[in-house]
Amino acid sequence: MTESLDVLTSLVAGGGVVVLSGAGLSTESGIPDYRGPSGVARRHTPMTFQAFTGDPLARRRYWARSHLGWRLIAGAAPNAGHRAVAQLQRAGLVDTVITQNVDGLHGAAGSPSVIELHGRLDEVTCLDCGNLTSREELDRRLREANPDFVARVAGVNPDGDVDLPDEQVAAFRPVDCGICGTGMVKPDVVFFGETVPPQRVARCFAAVEQARSLLVLGSSLTVMSGRRFVIRAAKRGIPVAIVNQGPTRGDDHATVCVDAPLGVVLPQLAARVAAGVPLKV
């Protein structure tokens, strides 16, 4: 372990780092992971873009559940890991953060350069007119449309969704776009079955290819959406460091893997790199 931490410290101290973060970085902010040690078992499969746009009942289920769940994510605060990443950015060692998370916590922690690969849960887009509005505004309109909607939230999923029984979903009334009046609204996040905007992917690849090293934080790299950047870095001979609890699908490409809680490793990493002292856990 000590040898791995020394390698990690050396890579980060060299600067030019691009961070790729996943849900495991936000677990200490109260947002669960699907696959890590604090992962949650979901009773429903994640919403797909095809179901959301093609099935009014599926869309009603999504908005009823997300109307409750997103508030828990909106109330989450950055944790020590997010703050450590922001500290490394301010120190000029991390150039860019690519996050697979939709919770906005990197920005809230003060990170100045973040590419939100899968979008933001606190913004809503109209699939007809293309206007982007705040989730707070949509929340206000949904509350007005559902004054008597009451449901108990047992837990929230990483994408802001919660599990609700069908009888509670049936009482919920979704709303259309508040700008054009008739358009279908959708959170400005990438659903399963939907592609990440090509220009956003291109920005991520460009950042990785210019990096001295790629630091993966809290991602199992199960989904190709994030793993492709690890593969690209490895093909270019760019060192990859992974800090995660448990194995990942990128371990074979990594120069160093550290299996430890991010809330422990990252604050010490930021402090030790700044002081020029080897990291110890």
Side-chain angles (χ1 to χ4, degrees):
M1 172 70 80
T2 299
E3 182 179 349
S4 297
L5 293 171
D6 289 344
V7 174
L8 176 63
T9 305
S10 178
L11 283 176
V12 174
V17 180
V18 168
V19 165
L20 173 64
S21 71
L25 185 60
S26 293
T27 56
E28 292 181 31
S29 294
I31 301 173
D33 193 356
Y34 285 132
R35 303 178 180 92
S38 62
V40 295
R42 176 197 276 271
R43 290 190 302 140
H44 304 283
T45 57
M47 177 60 63
T48 67
F49 181 75
Q50 292 76 13
F52 184 88
T53 55
D55 184 348
L57 294 180
R59 194 157 56 248
R60 180 194 300 271
R61 282 195 300 272
Y62 175 83
W63 280 121
R65 301 195 310 232
S66 182
H67 178 57
L68 298 173
W70 93 272
R71 292 183 213 154
L72 299 180
I73 290 184
N79 61 52
H82 296 108
R83 293 192 294 271
V85 171
Q87 181 181 342
L88 291 170
Q89 278 193 282
R90 291 193 297 270
L93 298 174
V94 171
D95 294 336
T96 303
V97 173
I98 301 168
T99 185
Q100 301 172 85
N101 301 335
V102 297
D103 51 37
L105 292 179
H106 278 295
S111 282
S113 177
V114 182
I115 302 174
E116 287 161 319
L117 184 64
H118 297 149
R120 294 181 63 101
L121 199 62
D122 62 357
E123 295 179 337
V124 180
T125 185
C126 175
L127 297 182
D128 288 0
C129 71
N131 274 291
L132 197 67
T133 54
S134 73
R135 188 63 181 263
E136 287 84 357
E137 172 62 18
L138 178 67
D139 183 67
R140 180 189 64 78
R141 296 177 57 232
L142 286 172
R143 286 174 184 266
E144 291 176 353
N146 298 275
D148 300 321
F149 182 71
V150 178
R152 184 175 65 86
V153 177
V156 62
N157 294 316
D159 53 7
D161 196 3
V162 300
D163 292 324
L164 290 178
D166 290 342
E167 60 269 20
Q168 292 180 337
V169 169
F172 191 80
R173 180 188 169 202
V175 297
D176 292 324
C177 176
I179 304 297
C180 68
T182 58
M184 182 187 302
V185 292
K186 169 186 170 292
D188 194 32
V189 300
V190 178
F191 282 174
F192 283 83
E194 189 178 8
T195 58
V196 179
Q199 66 274 19
R200 193 180 301 165
V201 176
R203 286 178 61 205
C204 293
F205 275 129
V208 169
E209 290 169 1
Q210 294 168 12
R212 290 183 184 175
S213 63
L214 177 64
L215 176 58
V216 179
L217 302 176
S219 176
S220 63
L221 299 172
T222 300
V223 180
M224 182 56 76
S225 180
R227 191 164 75 251
R228 57 185 159 182
F229 303 120
V230 172
I231 294 171
R232 177 66 62 89
K235 286 183 177 179
R236 295 295 181 97
I238 298 167
V240 176
I242 299 177
V243 183
N244 188 64
Q245 288 193 268
T248 82
R249 290 193 66 184
D251 289 354
D252 290 344
H253 299 290
T255 302
V256 59
C257 297
V258 177
D259 188 338
L262 279 78
V264 173
V265 172
L266 293 181
Q268 291 194 34
L269 174 63
R272 298 275 179 164
V273 167
V277 178
L279 180 64
K280 305 294 181 184
V281 174

